[in-house]
Amino acid sequence: CFMANHGAVVVGTSISDASQKAQSLEDLCYMFFLAEGFGFQPGRGITPPEMKKVLAQYAAYKKGDLA
């Protein structure tokens, strides 16, 4: 989650799990930063169906299953 005037906060079942989640968050933030250059409007937010699609695509990316 994001907290006002703070960095990202992640929670995991272990230090390794939390680190992995923090890296995933960093990767997704970078991807959204790049998407702004292609017209993505961050101020409008992301709907739950869009976020589900993003997470599915990110999971495929991490596995190397890019279509």
Side-chain angles (χ1 to χ4, degrees):
C1 77
F2 291 105
M3 298 170 53
N5 302 315
H6 290 78
V9 176
V10 295
V11 177
T13 56
S14 66
I15 292 175
S16 176
D17 183 48
S19 295
Q20 197 169 36
K21 287 178 180 176
Q23 184 62 53
S24 294
L25 177 61
E26 182 75 22
D27 292 346
L28 287 170
C29 288
Y30 183 66
M31 288 178 204
F32 280 101
F33 169 76
L34 294 176
E36 286 181 304
F38 293 99
F40 177 73
Q41 301 169 356
R44 76 168 179 84
I46 300 171
T47 65
E50 288 173 325
M51 192 65 211
K52 197 173 196 177
K53 184 176 178 181
V54 166
L55 293 174
Q57 290 175 337
Y58 182 71
Y61 164 77
K62 290 205 56 152
K63 290 180 184 176
D65 297 335
L66 298 176

